[in-house]
Amino acid sequence: MIFDQIIIIGSGSIASDILDSMCEFTSKLESNIKPTHISSLSLILESSLQCISLSNSMQLQPILAMSYCSHSLSLLQHKAKKHNIPYLSCNDSNTLDIFFASIDFPTLVISANNNYIFKSSAICNENLKIINFHNALLPCHKGVNAPIWSIYEQDEKSGVTWHVVSSKLDSGDILIQKEMPIAPDINSLKLFQSLMKLGFDAFVEIKDSLLDWSVSFVPMAKDSRAPHRARDLPNSGFLNPAWDRDKISAFLRSMDAFGVIPKPCIIIHDKVFTITKYWLNISYFQNEISYQRHSESDLLQRDSTKVKPPSNIANDIIGDIVKEDPKDRISKDKIPEDRIFLHIKDIALELCLASNNVSSSSIDLESNNKSLKTYKAYTSSIHDNATGGGGGNLSM
């Protein structure tokens, strides 16, 4: 054990699982703490995290849990409270810059599902060893929301990478990688969750060697592709009906992240429709629509899964007459303004009108789609121009 302190910064299940696993080393770390460390930590917390209130007893703890721009219901915060470990939440990157630059004793920083980008002042701090979890097989899919892009680009496999944080985003030496196949029906949410578990399994394999910093390093291969930014969406969030079935499926599944990113859209006769639901198995769609017309029950039993049908269903199912390009099959004057169903290449879509009179050749996402506009405004400040190493993923 060469470290006097361990800091876990991140969110979601992987950060909380790592905190669980590191608690066994608390006694070893406590024996390394010196009085100067306690006073230094107190000074750092006072000067750079003055908005955080910590008791003196908590400041003596050798393990710290931290989050940047975390959710109010933080799983890591809950786990830290369970283990009586101090938890720091901060929304100001400048504050964290000062905090990490000021640490003056050997510290291992574990970045797991973390949106904070470490600046050069932290990376050059000789007292810090910083490692980061990334939910892709680097150097592929650097940046944020890598699982979304893995599905959209129809990769055959995905995986996780633990790497040393360097001055260039997601480019430091690799500590360990693990891979998994991408199932043909998996969506972004499920892939995120699977990669979180795989990432923790990988961490456990290198945990002991990390503590004495005897882990092996492999230089990361160079890749000229730009990192994915937080505001980027596959095809700007719009489905192209000219795609083949596999590409349409990949697009829909990549955008299926349980509300974390906006719902996908499609343009029909210069009108933007939001895709509110999709069925990759057309028989499920037909069964559910048949149920909505004839059943008096509130729930549909489908393969042991209870599904509540959507309300406000249009009287006519347009899906039966749409086989290829919706522009060629739907009369411009007959598009209802509540909900319609499309059947494109054996994939069924439920749509609702999002905006009228939009030019399909020149789409202004900022003005014509409120959800995308809100999403872009929310994410525009999150490491779009990052130069330091760090994480950046959906919190699962």
Side-chain angles (χ1 to χ4, degrees):
M1 173 78 69
I2 67 169
F3 299 106
D4 296 347
Q5 184 184 58
I6 295 173
I7 295 176
I8 300 165
I9 178 169
S11 60
S13 60
I14 186 169
S16 61
D17 288 344
I18 289 173
L19 179 60
D20 265 339
S21 72
M22 300 308 287
C23 285
E24 64 179 282
F25 301 105
T26 300
S27 58
K28 292 182 180 180
L29 290 164
E30 284 175 341
S31 65
N32 289 348
I33 291 182
K34 303 174 180 63
T36 54
H37 294 170
I38 298 171
S39 60
S40 297
L41 178 58
S42 300
L43 179 61
I44 293 169
L45 292 171
E46 264 182 41
S47 62
S48 61
L49 293 174
Q50 54 187 337
C51 58
I52 306 297
S53 175
L54 289 175
S55 67
N56 290 332
S57 61
M58 294 181 79
Q59 291 176 17
L60 300 178
Q61 291 281 352
I63 299 178
L64 291 176
M66 309 178 70
S67 293
Y68 173 64
C69 296
S70 64
H71 192 277
S72 57
L73 300 175
S74 170
L75 184 59
L76 181 60
Q77 181 180 15
H78 173 75
K79 194 61 65 74
K81 183 177 180 180
K82 174 183 175 182
H83 292 294
N84 195 30
I85 287 174
Y87 171 80
L88 314 176
S89 178
C90 186
N91 296 326
D92 179 21
S93 62
N94 293 328
T95 296
L96 291 179
D97 295 344
I98 297 171
F99 174 79
F100 285 111
S102 303
I103 295 176
D104 59 359
F105 42 88
T107 300
L108 173 64
V109 180
I110 303 169
S111 167
N113 199 37
N114 162 45
N115 285 323
Y116 170 72
I117 301 297
F118 295 92
K119 304 301 189 296
S120 58
S121 58
I123 297 169
C124 296
N125 185 343
E126 61 183 13
N127 294 298
L128 302 183
K129 300 295 185 185
I130 310 173
I131 67 169
N132 180 64
F133 162 75
H134 189 78
N135 50 9
L137 294 171
L138 292 173
C140 295
H141 301 301
K142 295 181 180 181
V144 300
N145 297 339
I148 289 175
W149 297 98
S150 294
I151 293 176
Y152 175 67
E153 295 183 8
Q154 298 174 274
D155 296 344
E156 293 183 358
K157 63 183 180 181
S158 183
V160 298
T161 304
W162 280 98
H163 65 96
V164 177
V165 170
S166 66
S167 58
K168 191 173 181 181
L169 184 70
D170 294 333
S171 299
D173 290 346
I174 293 172
L175 303 173
I176 188 173
Q177 288 187 312
K178 281 185 170 293
E179 62 182 52
M180 60 171 283
I182 298 180
D185 59 350
I186 196 170
N187 63 16
S188 290
L189 176 62
K190 291 180 180 178
L191 183 56
F192 270 108
Q193 293 170 336
S194 296
L195 292 174
M196 289 289 181
K197 183 180 184 304
L198 188 63
F200 176 68
D201 292 342
F203 175 82
V204 170
E205 288 189 24
I206 62 172
K207 179 176 69 172
D208 291 336
S209 58
L210 282 174
L211 295 176
D212 58 13
W213 205 243
S214 61
V215 66
S216 301
F217 304 95
V218 177
M220 190 178 299
K222 293 184 178 180
D223 193 309
S224 59
R225 289 173 292 185
H228 300 300
R229 300 174 302 171
R231 65 171 62 189
D232 295 338
L233 294 173
N235 200 43
S236 298
F238 281 78
L239 186 151
N240 184 348
W243 286 333
D244 61 32
R245 186 195 182 281
D246 289 344
K247 187 63 177 180
I248 292 176
S249 169
F251 170 79
L252 292 170
R253 290 180 291 110
S254 73
M255 296 289 291
D256 189 357
F258 198 65
V260 179
I261 59 176
K263 290 183 180 295
C265 296
I266 187 172
I267 295 175
I268 304 174
H269 289 307
D270 292 338
K271 292 184 177 181
V272 174
F273 287 82
T274 299
I275 301 172
T276 55
K277 197 171 184 179
Y278 68 94
W279 294 260
L280 298 180
N281 186 327
I282 196 65
S283 63
Y284 282 177
F285 165 75
Q286 292 168 342
N287 288 341
E288 187 161 335
I289 297 308
S290 175
Y291 158 80
Q292 291 165 6
R293 285 181 162 181
H294 304 296
S295 174
E296 295 180 357
S297 174
D298 289 335
L299 295 174
L300 168 67
Q301 187 73 25
R302 185 183 68 193
D303 287 353
S304 301
T305 303
K306 290 186 176 181
V307 179
K308 188 171 184 179
S311 57
N312 236 358
I313 302 300
N315 290 328
D316 295 322
I317 301 175
I318 301 179
D320 290 339
I321 63 172
V322 179
K323 300 298 182 184
E324 298 296 334
D325 186 350
K327 280 191 174 183
D328 298 333
R329 298 300 183 106
I330 300 178
S331 170
K332 189 173 183 179
D333 300 326
K334 294 182 179 180
I335 298 179
E337 296 194 2
D338 46 10
R339 293 191 180 187
I340 63 174
F341 293 89
L342 299 184
H343 175 195
I344 303 177
K345 300 181 175 74
D346 293 325
I347 294 176
L349 307 175
E350 178 189 85
L351 313 177
C352 66
L353 190 64
S355 179
N356 292 317
N357 303 318
V358 179
S359 171
S360 59
S361 61
S362 179
I363 304 169
D364 180 1
L365 297 180
E366 291 293 346
S367 61
N368 288 309
N369 191 299
K370 185 177 180 181
S371 62
L372 286 176
K373 181 178 179 181
T374 302
Y375 174 74
K376 287 193 172 187
Y378 175 75
T379 58
S380 62
S381 62
I382 303 181
H383 51 70
D384 275 347
N385 300 307
T387 57
N393 310 288
L394 298 180
S395 298
M396 301 291 172

